Amino acid sequence: MPDLDAAAQFVHTHGRLLERRRFEHRYGGAPDAAAVLRAVEAYRNADGGFGFMEPDLRTPASQPSAVLYAFEVLEEIPGQAPKALTDGALDWLTTVTNDDGGIPFVLHTAEGYAHAPWWAPQPDPPSSLLMTAGVASVAYRLGLDHPWLGPATAYIWGAIADLKLSDPYAFRYTMHFLDAVPDRARADAEIEVFRDRMPADGVLKVEAGVEGEALGALEVAPRPDHAGRRLFPDALVERELDELANAQKPDGGWDFGWAAWNPAVAWEWRGMVTLSALSTLKAYNRL
């Protein structure tokens, strides 16, 4: 069983203020979500987007990845996000959406700011299935209704056919989209296609990542009622839950499996993945 008190000490000692507020709201006896919302709003820019939120992309300019994480946090406080805030973010996304309905992985406005190698900005960036599916999935889960969603959803449906399991991060967010999109018949049909393509051990290796970097069942299906859960046998999920529960470090936090290019972001990421680990274990009744 994970040590929640040790996790609290870790997050309060090393996490960002946003993760500390999230922890207090979820596990620390602070039911009022106002502090979480204020922490999210601190990352909001005048253009309606969000900046500074992605640890590996340290730019103040609004970025799609920052909107994605802001919406994921807002999902933890259902019904608390002002419509002006969520609509403002999607209004801003509309201004950076490509003609095909997709949004880029990273915008050129990150140029000149420190970032991990995989966040390299470029002029006229193409649409990213990972980023578009990620934002659309959480927008659907938040129950948002905005003109951005229609073209984005059409782009995702078109791009899924070319998705390869050798791109596990795009696969994970595509499965989140298939879990949330209202067209359940089409989503279920796509999931069946992926079921036939999954490796027997359920492990999706990140070919361009560090040694051992991979995604498993719990990254694809962080809740037992997630649509992606049907891709994995019960025994495999139970084994991964055991491994996740036992992965808590002596300092109380969890670690991450990708490259740490900057000592500061390593602590920020560890605070974030500690919240994610606790959330997954709680969803599966392991906490």
Side-chain angles (χ1 to χ4, degrees), residues 224-261:
D225 61 344
H226 191 285
R229 172 64 182 83
R230 74 189 71 167
L231 297 177
F232 306 98
D234 292 347
L236 186 152
V237 172
E238 291 301 314
R239 186 178 72 239
E240 287 200 13
L241 286 168
D242 290 341
E243 293 171 351
L244 182 62
N246 293 328
Q248 187 174 22
K249 301 297 182 183
D251 61 13
W254 274 257
D255 208 347
F256 55 95
W258 57 92
W261 61 281

mmCIF file of all heavy atoms in Angstrom, residues 224-261:
data_model
loop_
_atom_site.group_PDB
_atom_site.id
_atom_site.type_symbol
_atom_site.label_atom_id
_atom_site.label_comp_id
_atom_site.label_asym_id
_atom_site.label_seq_id
_atom_site.Cartn_x
_atom_site.Cartn_y
_atom_site.Cartn_z
ATOM 1 N N PRO A 224 -10.279 2.185 -14.444
ATOM 2 C CA PRO A 224 -10.821 0.878 -14.853
ATOM 3 C C PRO A 224 -11.961 0.982 -15.853
ATOM 4 O O PRO A 224 -12.214 0.033 -16.601
ATOM 5 C CB PRO A 224 -11.299 0.257 -13.533
ATOM 6 C CG PRO A 224 -11.426 1.390 -12.576
ATOM 7 C CD PRO A 224 -10.420 2.407 -12.984
ATOM 8 N N ASP A 225 -12.666 2.130 -15.887
ATOM 9 C CA ASP A 225 -13.763 2.293 -16.841
ATOM 10 C C ASP A 225 -13.326 3.011 -18.117
ATOM 11 O O ASP A 225 -14.164 3.405 -18.928
ATOM 12 C CB ASP A 225 -14.920 3.060 -16.190
ATOM 13 C CG ASP A 225 -14.526 4.464 -15.746
ATOM 14 O OD1 ASP A 225 -13.309 4.745 -15.664
ATOM 15 O OD2 ASP A 225 -15.435 5.281 -15.483
ATOM 16 N N HIS A 226 -12.029 3.178 -18.302
ATOM 17 C CA HIS A 226 -11.497 3.811 -19.519
ATOM 18 C C HIS A 226 -11.668 2.854 -20.697
ATOM 19 O O HIS A 226 -11.501 1.637 -20.561
ATOM 20 C CB HIS A 226 -10.010 4.118 -19.303
ATOM 21 C CG HIS A 226 -9.391 5.001 -20.344
ATOM 22 N ND1 HIS A 226 -9.075 4.547 -21.606
ATOM 23 C CD2 HIS A 226 -9.023 6.309 -20.313
ATOM 24 C CE1 HIS A 226 -8.522 5.544 -22.290
ATOM 25 N NE2 HIS A 226 -8.486 6.631 -21.538
ATOM 26 N N ALA A 227 -12.003 3.416 -21.863
ATOM 27 C CA ALA A 227 -12.220 2.575 -23.044
ATOM 28 C C ALA A 227 -10.985 1.765 -23.413
ATOM 29 O O ALA A 227 -11.099 0.654 -23.957
ATOM 30 C CB ALA A 227 -12.665 3.441 -24.220
ATOM 31 N N GLY A 228 -9.797 2.278 -23.128
ATOM 32 C CA GLY A 228 -8.575 1.557 -23.471
ATOM 33 C C GLY A 228 -8.304 0.358 -22.579
ATOM 34 O O GLY A 228 -7.458 -0.478 -22.905
ATOM 35 N N ARG A 229 -9.035 0.256 -21.469
ATOM 36 C CA ARG A 229 -8.815 -0.861 -20.540
ATOM 37 C C ARG A 229 -9.061 -2.205 -21.215
ATOM 38 O O ARG A 229 -8.424 -3.217 -20.869
ATOM 39 C CB ARG A 229 -9.718 -0.679 -19.321
ATOM 40 C CG ARG A 229 -9.779 -1.827 -18.339
ATOM 41 C CD ARG A 229 -8.443 -2.093 -17.675
ATOM 42 N NE ARG A 229 -8.542 -3.241 -16.782
ATOM 43 C CZ ARG A 229 -8.452 -4.492 -17.192
ATOM 44 N NH1 ARG A 229 -8.256 -4.755 -18.495
ATOM 45 N NH2 ARG A 229 -8.540 -5.495 -16.331
ATOM 46 N N ARG A 230 -9.960 -2.244 -22.195
ATOM 47 C CA ARG A 230 -10.298 -3.509 -22.852
ATOM 48 C C ARG A 230 -9.164 -4.058 -23.710
ATOM 49 O O ARG A 230 -9.233 -5.200 -24.166
ATOM 50 C CB ARG A 230 -11.553 -3.323 -23.704
ATOM 51 C CG ARG A 230 -11.345 -2.540 -24.982
ATOM 52 C CD ARG A 230 -12.629 -2.197 -25.696
ATOM 53 N NE ARG A 230 -13.404 -1.179 -24.981
ATOM 54 C CZ ARG A 230 -14.432 -0.529 -25.523
ATOM 55 N NH1 ARG A 230 -14.832 -0.826 -26.738
ATOM 56 N NH2 ARG A 230 -15.071 0.401 -24.836
ATOM 57 N N LEU A 231 -8.110 -3.276 -23.906
ATOM 58 C CA LEU A 231 -6.972 -3.737 -24.710
ATOM 59 C C LEU A 231 -6.041 -4.649 -23.924
ATOM 60 O O LEU A 231 -5.169 -5.294 -24.508
ATOM 61 C CB LEU A 231 -6.169 -2.536 -25.227
ATOM 62 C CG LEU A 231 -6.877 -1.578 -26.172
ATOM 63 C CD1 LEU A 231 -5.968 -0.408 -26.518
ATOM 64 C CD2 LEU A 231 -7.310 -2.297 -27.442
ATOM 65 N N PHE A 232 -6.217 -4.705 -22.608
ATOM 66 C CA PHE A 232 -5.238 -5.391 -21.770
ATOM 67 C C PHE A 232 -5.918 -6.448 -20.896
ATOM 68 O O PHE A 232 -6.975 -6.184 -20.298
ATOM 69 C CB PHE A 232 -4.518 -4.376 -20.876
ATOM 70 C CG PHE A 232 -3.903 -3.233 -21.637
ATOM 71 C CD1 PHE A 232 -4.569 -2.016 -21.744
ATOM 72 C CD2 PHE A 232 -2.676 -3.386 -22.267
ATOM 73 C CE1 PHE A 232 -4.016 -0.957 -22.450
ATOM 74 C CE2 PHE A 232 -2.108 -2.330 -22.975
ATOM 75 C CZ PHE A 232 -2.774 -1.120 -23.066
ATOM 76 N N PRO A 233 -5.307 -7.626 -20.744
ATOM 77 C CA PRO A 233 -5.879 -8.665 -19.874
ATOM 78 C C PRO A 233 -5.780 -8.259 -18.405
ATOM 79 O O PRO A 233 -4.911 -7.476 -18.004
ATOM 80 C CB PRO A 233 -5.020 -9.895 -20.178
ATOM 81 C CG PRO A 233 -3.758 -9.372 -20.758
ATOM 82 C CD PRO A 233 -4.097 -8.093 -21.459
ATOM 83 N N ASP A 234 -6.659 -8.835 -17.591
ATOM 84 C CA ASP A 234 -6.722 -8.475 -16.167
ATOM 85 C C ASP A 234 -5.384 -8.711 -15.458
ATOM 86 O O ASP A 234 -4.948 -7.885 -14.649
ATOM 87 C CB ASP A 234 -7.812 -9.299 -15.475
ATOM 88 C CG ASP A 234 -9.206 -8.912 -15.951
ATOM 89 O OD1 ASP A 234 -9.346 -7.868 -16.617
ATOM 90 O OD2 ASP A 234 -10.146 -9.677 -15.664
ATOM 91 N N ALA A 235 -4.749 -9.837 -15.756
ATOM 92 C CA ALA A 235 -3.505 -10.181 -15.058
ATOM 93 C C ALA A 235 -2.420 -9.139 -15.316
ATOM 94 O O ALA A 235 -1.634 -8.796 -14.417
ATOM 95 C CB ALA A 235 -3.032 -11.572 -15.494
ATOM 96 N N LEU A 236 -2.366 -8.652 -16.545
ATOM 97 C CA LEU A 236 -1.354 -7.646 -16.886
ATOM 98 C C LEU A 236 -1.619 -6.348 -16.118
ATOM 99 O O LEU A 236 -0.690 -5.734 -15.576
ATOM 100 C CB LEU A 236 -1.388 -7.392 -18.399
ATOM 101 C CG LEU A 236 -0.306 -6.483 -18.993
ATOM 102 C CD1 LEU A 236 -0.042 -6.879 -20.445
ATOM 103 C CD2 LEU A 236 -0.697 -5.010 -18.923
ATOM 104 N N VAL A 237 -2.878 -5.932 -16.057
ATOM 105 C CA VAL A 237 -3.208 -4.695 -15.335
ATOM 106 C C VAL A 237 -2.897 -4.842 -13.849
ATOM 107 O O VAL A 237 -2.325 -3.929 -13.222
ATOM 108 C CB VAL A 237 -4.689 -4.331 -15.564
ATOM 109 C CG1 VAL A 237 -5.098 -3.156 -14.669
ATOM 110 C CG2 VAL A 237 -4.931 -3.980 -17.031
ATOM 111 N N GLU A 238 -3.243 -5.980 -13.267
ATOM 112 C CA GLU A 238 -2.958 -6.202 -11.847
ATOM 113 C C GLU A 238 -1.456 -6.172 -11.577
ATOM 114 O O GLU A 238 -1.007 -5.630 -10.557
ATOM 115 C CB GLU A 238 -3.558 -7.532 -11.396
ATOM 116 C CG GLU A 238 -5.077 -7.537 -11.356
ATOM 117 C CD GLU A 238 -5.646 -6.476 -10.405
ATOM 118 O OE1 GLU A 238 -5.125 -6.375 -9.278
ATOM 119 O OE2 GLU A 238 -6.578 -5.759 -10.794
ATOM 120 N N ARG A 239 -0.677 -6.761 -12.488
ATOM 121 C CA ARG A 239 0.783 -6.739 -12.310
ATOM 122 C C ARG A 239 1.319 -5.308 -12.382
ATOM 123 O O ARG A 239 2.172 -4.918 -11.564
ATOM 124 C CB ARG A 239 1.448 -7.596 -13.394
ATOM 125 C CG ARG A 239 2.973 -7.728 -13.174
ATOM 126 C CD ARG A 239 3.613 -8.611 -14.222
ATOM 127 N NE ARG A 239 3.671 -7.965 -15.517
ATOM 128 C CZ ARG A 239 3.117 -8.436 -16.624
ATOM 129 N NH1 ARG A 239 2.440 -9.555 -16.576
ATOM 130 N NH2 ARG A 239 3.211 -7.790 -17.764
ATOM 131 N N GLU A 240 0.800 -4.519 -13.319
ATOM 132 C CA GLU A 240 1.266 -3.133 -13.424
ATOM 133 C C GLU A 240 0.847 -2.318 -12.206
ATOM 134 O O GLU A 240 1.577 -1.431 -11.765
ATOM 135 C CB GLU A 240 0.730 -2.488 -14.705
ATOM 136 C CG GLU A 240 1.429 -3.000 -15.958
ATOM 137 C CD GLU A 240 1.253 -2.052 -17.145
ATOM 138 O OE1 GLU A 240 0.810 -0.902 -16.943
ATOM 139 O OE2 GLU A 240 1.571 -2.470 -18.264
ATOM 140 N N LEU A 241 -0.322 -2.603 -11.658
ATOM 141 C CA LEU A 241 -0.739 -1.897 -10.437
ATOM 142 C C LEU A 241 0.188 -2.234 -9.277
ATOM 143 O O LEU A 241 0.544 -1.360 -8.478
ATOM 144 C CB LEU A 241 -2.188 -2.251 -10.102
ATOM 145 C CG LEU A 241 -3.251 -1.606 -10.996
ATOM 146 C CD1 LEU A 241 -4.613 -2.251 -10.770
ATOM 147 C CD2 LEU A 241 -3.338 -0.099 -10.746
ATOM 148 N N ASP A 242 0.586 -3.503 -9.159
ATOM 149 C CA ASP A 242 1.554 -3.887 -8.123
ATOM 150 C C ASP A 242 2.859 -3.130 -8.304
ATOM 151 O O ASP A 242 3.445 -2.611 -7.338
ATOM 152 C CB ASP A 242 1.815 -5.394 -8.179
ATOM 153 C CG ASP A 242 0.618 -6.212 -7.730
ATOM 154 O OD1 ASP A 242 -0.262 -5.660 -7.048
ATOM 155 O OD2 ASP A 242 0.571 -7.412 -8.073
ATOM 156 N N GLU A 243 3.319 -3.091 -9.557
ATOM 157 C CA GLU A 243 4.593 -2.414 -9.847
ATOM 158 C C GLU A 243 4.492 -0.922 -9.545
ATOM 159 O O GLU A 243 5.430 -0.325 -8.998
ATOM 160 C CB GLU A 243 4.973 -2.641 -11.313
ATOM 161 C CG GLU A 243 5.319 -4.087 -11.634
ATOM 162 C CD GLU A 243 5.491 -4.337 -13.120
ATOM 163 O OE1 GLU A 243 5.180 -3.418 -13.920
ATOM 164 O OE2 GLU A 243 5.904 -5.456 -13.478
ATOM 165 N N LEU A 244 3.357 -0.305 -9.890
ATOM 166 C CA LEU A 244 3.193 1.130 -9.637
ATOM 167 C C LEU A 244 3.161 1.408 -8.134
ATOM 168 O O LEU A 244 3.793 2.353 -7.655
ATOM 169 C CB LEU A 244 1.909 1.634 -10.299
ATOM 170 C CG LEU A 244 1.616 3.130 -10.157
ATOM 171 C CD1 LEU A 244 2.713 3.964 -10.815
ATOM 172 C CD2 LEU A 244 0.254 3.479 -10.768
ATOM 173 N N ALA A 245 2.434 0.590 -7.392
ATOM 174 C CA ALA A 245 2.364 0.793 -5.938
ATOM 175 C C ALA A 245 3.737 0.627 -5.287
ATOM 176 O O ALA A 245 4.074 1.346 -4.337
ATOM 177 C CB ALA A 245 1.363 -0.188 -5.325
ATOM 178 N N ASN A 246 4.536 -0.299 -5.821
ATOM 179 C CA ASN A 246 5.858 -0.566 -5.245
ATOM 180 C C ASN A 246 6.930 0.392 -5.756
ATOM 181 O O ASN A 246 8.083 0.326 -5.320
ATOM 182 C CB ASN A 246 6.285 -2.005 -5.551
ATOM 183 C CG ASN A 246 5.419 -3.017 -4.834
ATOM 184 O OD1 ASN A 246 4.939 -2.751 -3.728
ATOM 185 N ND2 ASN A 246 5.199 -4.167 -5.454
ATOM 186 N N ALA A 247 6.562 1.269 -6.697
ATOM 187 C CA ALA A 247 7.553 2.175 -7.286
ATOM 188 C C ALA A 247 7.730 3.454 -6.481
ATOM 189 O O ALA A 247 8.535 4.315 -6.863
ATOM 190 C CB ALA A 247 7.144 2.517 -8.722
ATOM 191 N N GLN A 248 6.984 3.602 -5.386
ATOM 192 C CA GLN A 248 7.173 4.792 -4.554
ATOM 193 C C GLN A 248 8.586 4.793 -3.977
ATOM 194 O O GLN A 248 9.040 3.794 -3.408
ATOM 195 C CB GLN A 248 6.149 4.828 -3.420
ATOM 196 C CG GLN A 248 6.169 6.127 -2.617
ATOM 197 C CD GLN A 248 5.045 6.192 -1.578
ATOM 198 O OE1 GLN A 248 4.506 5.163 -1.167
ATOM 199 N NE2 GLN A 248 4.702 7.383 -1.151
ATOM 200 N N LYS A 249 9.294 5.882 -4.126
ATOM 201 C CA LYS A 249 10.680 5.985 -3.682
ATOM 202 C C LYS A 249 10.750 6.258 -2.172
ATOM 203 O O LYS A 249 9.773 6.704 -1.561
ATOM 204 C CB LYS A 249 11.391 7.121 -4.440
ATOM 205 C CG LYS A 249 11.401 6.947 -5.947
ATOM 206 C CD LYS A 249 12.170 5.706 -6.346
ATOM 207 C CE LYS A 249 12.224 5.550 -7.853
ATOM 208 N NZ LYS A 249 12.908 4.286 -8.262
ATOM 209 N N PRO A 250 11.923 6.027 -1.577
ATOM 210 C CA PRO A 250 12.062 6.296 -0.133
ATOM 211 C C PRO A 250 11.743 7.734 0.261
ATOM 212 O O PRO A 250 11.344 7.993 1.405
ATOM 213 C CB PRO A 250 13.538 5.956 0.134
ATOM 214 C CG PRO A 250 13.874 4.942 -0.920
ATOM 215 C CD PRO A 250 13.112 5.356 -2.139
ATOM 216 N N ASP A 251 11.877 8.682 -0.695
ATOM 217 C CA ASP A 251 11.553 10.080 -0.364
ATOM 218 C C ASP A 251 10.056 10.370 -0.444
ATOM 219 O O ASP A 251 9.623 11.501 -0.200
ATOM 220 C CB ASP A 251 12.345 11.048 -1.247
ATOM 221 C CG ASP A 251 12.043 10.903 -2.741
ATOM 222 O OD1 ASP A 251 11.059 10.231 -3.095
ATOM 223 O OD2 ASP A 251 12.796 11.483 -3.554
ATOM 224 N N GLY A 252 9.255 9.358 -0.807
ATOM 225 C CA GLY A 252 7.803 9.530 -0.839
ATOM 226 C C GLY A 252 7.222 9.777 -2.210
ATOM 227 O O GLY A 252 6.012 9.678 -2.398
ATOM 228 N N GLY A 253 8.070 10.144 -3.197
ATOM 229 C CA GLY A 253 7.570 10.449 -4.531
ATOM 230 C C GLY A 253 7.781 9.318 -5.514
ATOM 231 O O GLY A 253 8.419 8.310 -5.202
ATOM 232 N N TRP A 254 7.197 9.492 -6.704
ATOM 233 C CA TRP A 254 7.432 8.570 -7.805
ATOM 234 C C TRP A 254 8.390 9.239 -8.784
ATOM 235 O O TRP A 254 8.556 10.463 -8.793
ATOM 236 C CB TRP A 254 6.119 8.234 -8.510
ATOM 237 C CG TRP A 254 5.360 7.094 -7.893
ATOM 238 C CD1 TRP A 254 5.277 5.809 -8.364
ATOM 239 C CD2 TRP A 254 4.561 7.109 -6.698
ATOM 240 N NE1 TRP A 254 4.489 5.034 -7.540
ATOM 241 C CE2 TRP A 254 4.034 5.802 -6.503
ATOM 242 C CE3 TRP A 254 4.244 8.089 -5.763
ATOM 243 C CZ2 TRP A 254 3.208 5.478 -5.436
ATOM 244 C CZ3 TRP A 254 3.425 7.770 -4.687
ATOM 245 C CH2 TRP A 254 2.923 6.476 -4.535
ATOM 246 N N ASP A 255 9.015 8.437 -9.629
ATOM 247 C CA ASP A 255 9.958 8.957 -10.619
ATOM 248 C C ASP A 255 9.364 8.784 -12.009
ATOM 249 O O ASP A 255 8.347 8.110 -12.191
ATOM 250 C CB ASP A 255 11.299 8.222 -10.515
ATOM 251 C CG ASP A 255 12.461 9.098 -10.960
ATOM 252 O OD1 ASP A 255 12.217 10.144 -11.568
ATOM 253 O OD2 ASP A 255 13.610 8.710 -10.688
ATOM 254 N N PHE A 256 9.995 9.382 -13.000
ATOM 255 C CA PHE A 256 9.508 9.293 -14.371
ATOM 256 C C PHE A 256 10.536 8.577 -15.239
ATOM 257 O O PHE A 256 11.713 8.489 -14.878
ATOM 258 C CB PHE A 256 9.189 10.687 -14.939
ATOM 259 C CG PHE A 256 10.335 11.670 -14.879
ATOM 260 C CD1 PHE A 256 11.168 11.859 -15.963
ATOM 261 C CD2 PHE A 256 10.592 12.398 -13.711
ATOM 262 C CE1 PHE A 256 12.218 12.773 -15.910
ATOM 263 C CE2 PHE A 256 11.640 13.302 -13.644
ATOM 264 C CZ PHE A 256 12.454 13.490 -14.746
ATOM 265 N N GLY A 257 10.074 8.069 -16.393
ATOM 266 C CA GLY A 257 10.921 7.184 -17.186
ATOM 267 C C GLY A 257 11.517 7.787 -18.436
ATOM 268 O O GLY A 257 12.042 7.057 -19.280
ATOM 269 N N TRP A 258 11.442 9.115 -18.575
ATOM 270 C CA TRP A 258 12.036 9.747 -19.744
ATOM 271 C C TRP A 258 13.222 10.611 -19.319
ATOM 272 O O TRP A 258 13.527 10.729 -18.133
ATOM 273 C CB TRP A 258 10.993 10.565 -20.515
ATOM 274 C CG TRP A 258 10.288 11.627 -19.723
ATOM 275 C CD1 TRP A 258 10.658 12.930 -19.606
ATOM 276 C CD2 TRP A 258 9.089 11.466 -18.925
ATOM 277 N NE1 TRP A 258 9.760 13.595 -18.797
ATOM 278 C CE2 TRP A 258 8.797 12.738 -18.380
ATOM 279 C CE3 TRP A 258 8.253 10.389 -18.636
ATOM 280 C CZ2 TRP A 258 7.701 12.940 -17.542
ATOM 281 C CZ3 TRP A 258 7.155 10.604 -17.802
ATOM 282 C CH2 TRP A 258 6.883 11.861 -17.280
ATOM 283 N N ALA A 259 13.893 11.212 -20.297
ATOM 284 C CA ALA A 259 15.137 11.923 -20.041
ATOM 285 C C ALA A 259 14.900 13.155 -19.176
ATOM 286 O O ALA A 259 13.959 13.918 -19.411
ATOM 287 C CB ALA A 259 15.777 12.334 -21.361
ATOM 288 N N ALA A 260 15.761 13.344 -18.188
ATOM 289 C CA ALA A 260 15.754 14.550 -17.365
ATOM 290 C C ALA A 260 16.874 15.445 -17.882
ATOM 291 O O ALA A 260 18.040 15.237 -17.569
ATOM 292 C CB ALA A 260 15.955 14.194 -15.895
ATOM 293 N N TRP A 261 16.516 16.443 -18.686
ATOM 294 C CA TRP A 261 17.533 17.283 -19.345
ATOM 295 C C TRP A 261 17.947 18.468 -18.482
ATOM 296 O O TRP A 261 18.860 19.213 -18.846
ATOM 297 C CB TRP A 261 16.976 17.800 -20.680
ATOM 298 C CG TRP A 261 15.746 18.647 -20.508
ATOM 299 C CD1 TRP A 261 14.482 18.204 -20.301
ATOM 300 C CD2 TRP A 261 15.683 20.072 -20.492
ATOM 301 N NE1 TRP A 261 13.618 19.274 -20.149
ATOM 302 C CE2 TRP A 261 14.334 20.432 -20.274
ATOM 303 C CE3 TRP A 261 16.629 21.093 -20.639
ATOM 304 C CZ2 TRP A 261 13.912 21.753 -20.192
ATOM 305 C CZ3 TRP A 261 16.209 22.412 -20.561
ATOM 306 C CH2 TRP A 261 14.864 22.739 -20.349
#
